[in-house]
Amino acid sequence: MKTHARVVIIGGGIAGCSALYHLVKLGWTDVVLVERNELTAGSTWHAAGNTPHFEVSLNMTRIQKYSTELYGRLEAETGQATGFHKVGSIRIAQDKDRLEQFRILESQAKNIGLPFHVIGPDEIKKHMPIVALDGVIAGAYTSEDGYVDPSSCTQAMAKGARDGGAQIYRKTRVIGTTQKPDGSWIVETDKGTIACEIVVNAAGTWARDVAKLAGLDLPIVSMEHQYLVTEALDEVKALGRELPLLRDPDASFYLRQEGMGILYGPYEADGKPWAVDGIPEQFGQDLLPNDLDRIEYIVEMATKRVPILAKAGIKRTVNGPIPHTPDGGPLIGPAPGLRNYWCLNGFSVGIAQGGGAGKALAEWIVEGEPPMEMFEFDPRRFGPYATLDFTVDRACEIYKYMYAIWYPNDEKPAGRPAKTTPIYERLKTAGAVFEARFGWERAAWFAPHGNTHETPSYRRAESFPHVAAECRAVRERAGLLDLSGFSKFEITGPGALAALDRLCANRPPQKDGAIALTQLLTPKGKIETEATLVRWSAERFYAMTAAVAQLHDLDWLQRHLPADGRVHLADVTLRDGCLILAGPKSRDILSKLTRTDLSNARFPWLAAREIEVAGVPVRALRCNYVGELGWELHHNFVHQTRLYDALMAAGAPMDLAHFGTRAMNSMRLEKAYRAWGTELTAETDPYEAGLERLVKSEGRDFIGKAALEAARAKGHKWRLAILKVDAPDADAPTNAPVFANGAYAGVVSSGGYGHTVGTSIALAFVMPPHDKVGTTLEVDILGERRKAVVVADALYDPENRRPRM
Ligand SMILES: Cc1cc2nc3c(=O)[nH]c(=O)nc-3n(C[C@H](O)[C@H](O)[C@H](O)COP(=O)(O)OP(=O)(O)OC[C@H]3O[C@@H](n4cnc5c(N)ncnc54)[C@H](O)[C@@H]3O)c2cc1C
């Protein structure tokens, strides 16, 4: 056994073997995989092997598309069969909403050239003669997917990796992982010790236990999942060809041909978490006892949908553990707070995702930054709020709603509330309808008469007029929003200014008490994050970033601020709250509560002051994300109720209103303010995002500058355009494709309704020359092409007078 390797991968399931294979392909051959049992002995060997392309997330579809392409060619490359059957699949719709979901995904698929067609009942019958079409109005047909033999497929990647020089140690169990002061690792196994630069945890169901060896807490629990395989059926034999897969999302099952029989698997409503308190020591290449009672009601529905199941004898039943994270997505990327430790685990659909996920991780390790936007898979998207209980609750919910539509306006209840601010109950009493981000409960909108019900929908729903009223209040009077979830950092010390100058594409504020908005770039010039930076003094800065990015940004700052003792970083997210007071009356309201002169002369736009408001120490920042006169009032949480009560009382005579994040989003679209995660991603740079005014290159050298300038010189594929969209009752969803003269021309990053300007708005990356002002384009919204015109600037207050009022 080797005693040194560049990378040690723990776990020889489909994920680990894929990472090994792709590292070797990238030229990293000094790599080792350690498997406690035989390869595939975890969840992989008994998986049904389905490899679908029907995914709500476009990025995940990209990953799964690559997987099937790989599985289709691996045999030719390695000589090892993968058992890939490209039979396609059909998902059926029985109502209008499901059909709308199909239409959205059919449109979205155009971004990546993925065949995806909505077909009618007759065509479904042609593909799938054994299905009863009662109630069926349409189907989503994805011709490129199918199923593999998961074991063979994994072995093919293992063979490819071995052929390229990688080592695989079977029957070798990892019992310890210890980090050395230089950041490298010692991986201890029951057969010996391997020193390595990088550890990859690909231990599937055991990933949480393996992570604990490094002091890491991963939010993963396994859910039991069962499927049944029937005896051969004459009707199947008589077909003389192989059936596509079938998914009936209302009955919540998948089904495919297995030999001359049928394999089908239900996702039941009362799913069962497995081994929450620890995986039994002796559990290895094992199955769990069947519990068919739990799935009987779905078996009955499946039998109605595919009547030949009624007479089919059951040949085999399988029950095995499937790892689940709190949002159902895998953990792919750096572990929070640990250097050189990577996650490739938490897969609930790991056969479909394994190929692409292993490639993405390998590229991220080798290149030092992700090959595509990966935050939705990033292990750092969860924080300490994602406890074991939280994870169990969420995993059960995810399992139950495996095939349900997750509407954009529907916030599911499991595990909530995880994090609340001191004024949570007050906001609730005021009618707040909450959404959860990074565990934080924050008001999405306010129901004025206590009726908080909203129909889950892709279209504008009950909240629409109330959000309009909130926007009106902010634009005409004043509004208050609790945005305490912001990630907040203090960067202090004699080296702080120079360090930030190196990290930020924009120049850090030059004067004390000034604010600057800046992107932080990767070495390749892509956007790592965006921060609002406040300078209290040359040695004391305050940075705010997106709530969900707390661990992600903390990691970036920790890794890139110099460790010379001259710069200190503190994460003060849980110390400070933030109330936003915005609108033309906000100065009048705030003046009542402070002795500080709030005039433009003494407290101009983009200034920050440490002041007293209602007897509370407040760091007041004159900026906001809605484009009005206003202040962000940062304060210690212990003072929040007092501050809030005083603001509400002072604002009452001026009709101060609450507003939520939906109103904020409407107003930021009117101002064409970009958002991290949609416009600002690992795949875009500030020039593409139309933010050249925030790049200050002259006389400076910051991370990513050289690559950014090189990309600019070369010319970008597309640029962000502001579109006025003709959309009567639904706005453009993220990833809706954009067309020019019928041909693909770009993609929407954000869409929504501008309540003040009275039009639907989209921000979209559009290829030149179609990004020219005045160009008429089309945007696909719920399957219909809607007219969209490129406008020159923000639709609201393009001269930016309002924030400077
Ligand atoms: C019944 C069932 C049907 C499924 N059907 C599908 C499907 O149709 N399509 C699909 O995409 N997904 C399906 N899945 C999910 C899929 O099986 C998993 O997502 C996938 O196999 C996970 O692969 P993995 O490599 O992450 O984990 P695993 O396959 O579990 O591999 C982890 C490996 O780590 C090893 N290991 C653990 N601890 C240590 C240690 N300390 N030292 C060394 N090695 C260690 C284990 O022995 C194991 O081999 C199904 C799952 C089940 C249970």
Side-chain angles (χ1 to χ4, degrees), residues 11 13-15 35-36 42-44 46-50 174 322 347 349-352:
I14 195 158
E35 164 57 50
R36 75 202 277 264
S43 294
T44 297
H46 55 63
N50 309 332
V174 172
I322 305 193
F347 288 97
V349 194
I351 308 306

Side-chain angles (χ1 to χ4, degrees), residues 10-17 34-52 172-175 202-207 210 213 223-227 254 256 267 318-323 344-353:
I10 306 169
I14 195 158
C17 289
V34 185
E35 164 57 50
R36 75 202 277 264
N37 203 320
E38 293 294 343
L39 293 183
T40 79
S43 294
T44 297
W45 70 276
H46 55 63
N50 309 332
T51 56
T172 305
R173 179 177 171 175
V174 172
I175 51 176
T205 287
W206 294 263
V210 167
L213 300 174
M223 299 293 296
E224 290 192 12
H225 178 62
Q226 310 182 72
Y227 64 77
Y254 57 82
R256 69 167 170 84
Y267 281 89
V318 170
N319 185 10
I322 305 193
L344 186 64
N345 48 44
F347 288 97
S348 51
V349 194
I351 308 306
Q353 296 166 355

Side-chain angles (χ1 to χ4, degrees), residues 196-312:
C196 61
E197 285 172 30
I198 289 168
V199 171
V200 176
N201 176 346
T205 287
W206 294 263
R208 184 153 57 92
D209 294 346
V210 167
K212 277 190 193 135
L213 300 174
L216 178 70
D217 202 8
L218 289 182
I220 301 173
V221 295
S222 287
M223 299 293 296
E224 290 192 12
H225 178 62
Q226 310 182 72
Y227 64 77
L228 317 172
V229 184
T230 74
E231 302 282 0
L233 285 154
D234 291 341
E235 289 82 350
V236 175
K237 280 187 203 155
L239 287 169
R241 65 172 170 91
E242 196 169 6
L243 290 165
L245 280 91
L246 176 77
R247 288 184 183 78
D248 181 342
D250 296 305
S252 198
F253 71 88
Y254 57 82
L255 176 150
R256 69 167 170 84
Q257 188 171 331
E258 171 78 351
M260 288 301 144
I262 297 287
L263 176 158
Y264 62 116
Y267 281 89
E268 65 276 21
D270 61 340
K272 198 168 155 199
W274 178 74
V276 172
D277 296 309
I279 296 169
E281 182 62 30
Q282 69 284 3
F283 188 82
Q285 192 160 5
D286 296 309
L287 292 175
L288 306 172
N290 294 323
D291 184 358
L292 299 181
D293 287 352
R294 244 186 21 244
I295 56 171
E296 197 184 327
Y297 75 102
I298 302 183
V299 169
E300 274 172 28
M301 286 193 276
T303 306
K304 284 200 183 112
R305 185 58 69 204
V306 180
I308 57 168
L309 291 175
K311 58 174 189 173

Side-chain angles (χ1 to χ4, degrees), residues 96-148:
K96 184 177 97 357
D97 278 19
R98 184 78 61 183
L99 184 54
E100 284 189 344
Q101 185 199 32
F102 290 1
R103 294 279 184 214
I104 290 172
L105 298 185
E106 183 184 39
S107 305
Q108 184 172 282
K110 296 192 168 76
N111 290 300
I112 53 170
L114 174 77
F116 186 122
H117 301 289
V118 177
I119 58 176
D122 290 349
E123 218 178 320
I124 297 175
K125 195 77 183 175
K126 260 194 243 154
H127 287 291
M128 196 76 194
I130 60 169
V131 68
L133 288 171
D134 311 50
V136 173
I137 58 170
Y141 179 52
T142 43
S143 56
E144 299 307 291
D145 62 53
Y147 65 96
V148 287

Side-chain angles (χ1 to χ4, degrees), residues 467-543:
V467 173
E470 291 170 29
C471 293
R472 230 174 6 255
V474 176
R475 295 276 190 239
E476 293 172 7
R477 309 186 310 272
L480 187 134
L481 167 68
D482 178 7
L483 258 195
S484 296
F486 270 137
S487 304
K488 308 168 211 88
F489 307 99
E490 278 178 353
I491 300 132
T492 53
L497 178 58
L500 286 169
D501 196 54
R502 170 96 188 112
L503 258 65
C504 298
N506 196 357
R507 205 184 291 279
Q510 296 299 293
K511 284 192 291 189
D512 295 351
I515 302 172
L517 182 66
T518 182
Q519 276 84 49
L520 282 71
L521 307 185
T522 67
K524 289 188 178 173
K526 301 296 182 191
I527 294 170
E528 180 72 19
T529 191
E530 183 185 57
T532 303
L533 203 58
V534 179
R535 169 174 162 152
W536 300 117
S537 75
E539 296 195 9
R540 194 171 146 241
F541 289 84
Y542 184 59

Side-chain angles (χ1 to χ4, degrees), residues 576-636:
D576 290 350
C578 172
L579 298 181
I580 313 285
L581 178 69
K585 297 272 179 219
S586 51
R587 180 181 285 121
D588 299 341
I589 296 170
L590 200 56
S591 297
K592 288 187 182 185
L593 302 172
T594 182
R595 292 186 179 84
T596 304
D597 181 352
L598 301 177
S599 67
N600 267 334
R602 302 304 297 274
F603 203 148
W605 184 55
L606 295 185
R609 305 273 182 268
E610 292 181 281
I611 67 174
E612 215 177 282
V613 180
V616 166
V618 163
R619 272 145 287 130
L621 278 46
R622 191 160 159 205
C623 60
N624 57 61
Y625 199 45
V626 297
E628 293 294 340
L629 170 70
W631 281 265
E632 283 186 5
L633 304 172
H634 293 251
H635 53 276
N636 191 306

